[in-house]
């Protein structure tokens, strides 16, 4: 009995003293939690599929308020669409749990000064990703309107929901990821790889590079989405210089 009590009072092993098997065991448990969270969230997304589809179709209905219908050419297309929306919705709804488990797994291995920046960086990353998705969603009607007229008046639109879904989700994902640009720049300044002075001296080249990259990675290839991506990226570039100057004081 005494031995049992002694074992219970022993502190938990520190991350640097954990064996490879213990690390893998912890990783397995966290992956299992993430998998369960994803399945539950995907099930919820599958059940509220009509609402999610209506939300994603809203940009198209803004430019075609009286005829914003989708057309499928195969019997399985409807099921495929619902499963895809359930999968994407599962990732979205389960993202707080996924990020929390990732945070809990990597936090013990961080040094004290790294932990000081970790939480602000995680919050900033999530906020900027959501902001990027929102900007893409808001500007998507302009992209659709431009794309629908670029081919000329002789073309009649019959939209495939699978292709439409792929385009809008790809656009939102690209915007979300590229909006992490300031987090990357500030991280490099904290690590000493870059300095605010260097970024200031590269300003002209940065403008050109940002515009070129925005034009290349924008999946819809329309000028509205390109400018909606390029302008915030340049603003983020300037903000990163300011934040880097404050941190390095």
């Amino acid at each position: 009995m005494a031995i049992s009590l002694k074992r219970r009072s022993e502190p938990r092993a520190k991350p640097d003293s954990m064996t490879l098997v213990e690390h893998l065991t912890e990783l397995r448990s966290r992956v299992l939690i993430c998998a369960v969270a994803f399945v539950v969230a995907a099930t919820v997304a599958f059940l509220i599929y009509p609402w999610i589809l209506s939300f994603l179709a809203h940009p198209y209905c803004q430019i075609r308020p009286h005829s914003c219908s989708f057309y499928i050419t195969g019997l399985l297309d409807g099921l495929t669409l619902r499963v895809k929306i359930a999968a994407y919705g599962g990732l979205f709804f389960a993202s707080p749990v996924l990020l929390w488990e990732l945070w809990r797994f990597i936090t013990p291995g961080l040094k004290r000064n790294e932990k000081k920046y970790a939480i602000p960086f995680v919050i900033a990353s999530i906020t900027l990703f959501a902001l990027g998705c929102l900007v893409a969603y808001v500007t998507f009607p302009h992209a659709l309107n431009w794309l629908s007229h670029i081919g000329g008046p002789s073309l009649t639109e019959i939209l495939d929901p699978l292709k439409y879904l792929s385009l809008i989700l790809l656009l939102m994902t690209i915007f979300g990821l590229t909006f992490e640009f300031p987090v990357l720049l500030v991280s490099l300044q904290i690590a000493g790889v870059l300095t605010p002075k260097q970024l200031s001296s590269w300003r002209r080249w940065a403008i050109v590079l940002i515009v070129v990259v925005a034009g290349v990675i924008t999946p819809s290839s329309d000028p509205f989405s390109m400018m909606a991506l390029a302008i915030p990226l340049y603003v983020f570039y300037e903000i990163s210089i300011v934040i880097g100057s404050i941190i390095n004081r």
Side-chain angles (χ1 to χ4, degrees):
M1 184 67 179
I3 295 176
S4 177
L5 290 175
K6 183 178 180 180
R7 287 180 177 176
R8 290 181 182 178
S9 62
E10 289 179 353
R12 186 180 177 182
K14 295 182 179 180
D16 54 1
S17 64
M18 293 174 64
T19 64
L20 177 61
V21 175
E22 289 173 331
H23 278 294
L24 292 177
T25 301
E26 182 182 3
L27 177 62
R28 182 183 63 181
S29 64
R30 298 200 182 280
V31 170
L32 181 61
I33 293 174
C34 291
V36 172
F38 170 74
V39 171
V40 172
T43 302
V44 173
F46 188 86
L47 295 175
I48 63 172
Y49 157 80
W51 181 85
I52 299 177
L53 181 61
S54 176
F55 173 78
L56 294 176
H58 181 68
Y60 179 53
C61 292
Q62 282 187 289
I63 65 170
R64 297 289 186 274
H66 303 294
S67 59
C68 58
S69 299
F70 295 111
Y71 298 87
I72 59 175
T73 57
L75 293 177
L76 295 178
D77 288 352
L79 176 61
T80 302
L81 178 65
R82 189 159 190 160
V83 170
K84 279 191 174 183
I85 286 183
Y88 287 119
L91 288 174
F92 177 79
F93 292 130
S95 58
V97 177
L98 304 182
L99 293 173
W100 172 254
E101 292 300 322
L102 176 63
W103 166 252
R104 292 289 295 168
F105 182 72
I106 65 175
T107 298
L110 297 177
K111 298 178 182 179
R112 182 174 298 179
N113 62 329
E114 294 173 334
K115 291 181 180 180
K116 179 178 67 174
Y117 294 112
I119 293 180
F121 270 78
V122 170
I123 295 175
S125 298
I126 296 174
T127 303
L128 288 171
F129 186 86
L131 179 61
C133 292
L134 178 62
V135 171
Y137 182 82
V138 171
T139 59
F140 195 53
H142 299 286
L144 288 176
N145 191 43
W146 185 83
L147 291 172
S148 63
H149 288 87
I150 194 65
S154 61
L155 300 181
T156 302
E157 294 179 357
I158 299 180
L159 287 190
D160 182 343
L162 292 172
K163 293 180 179 179
Y164 174 87
L165 176 68
S166 298
L167 179 59
I168 187 173
L169 291 178
L170 179 61
L171 192 67
M172 293 173 69
T173 302
I174 289 177
F175 268 64
L177 292 176
T178 51
F179 269 49
E180 303 293 333
F181 183 52
V183 176
L184 175 62
L185 289 182
V186 173
S187 300
L188 292 175
Q189 291 179 81
I190 292 176
V193 178
L194 295 175
T195 64
K197 186 176 181 180
Q198 286 177 320
L199 293 177
S200 298
S201 64
W202 297 341
R203 183 175 283 109
R204 292 183 179 179
W205 287 107
I207 295 174
V208 176
L209 185 60
I210 286 173
V211 173
V212 172
V213 170
V216 171
I217 68 174
T218 303
S220 58
S221 302
D222 66 284
F224 299 98
S225 299
M226 186 189 73
M227 296 307 298
L229 183 61
I231 292 175
L233 287 183
Y234 177 69
V235 173
F236 290 151
Y237 187 86
E238 295 292 342
I239 293 176
S240 300
I241 296 175
V242 175
I243 294 176
S245 301
I246 295 173
I247 292 176
N248 292 328
R249 283 181 181 177

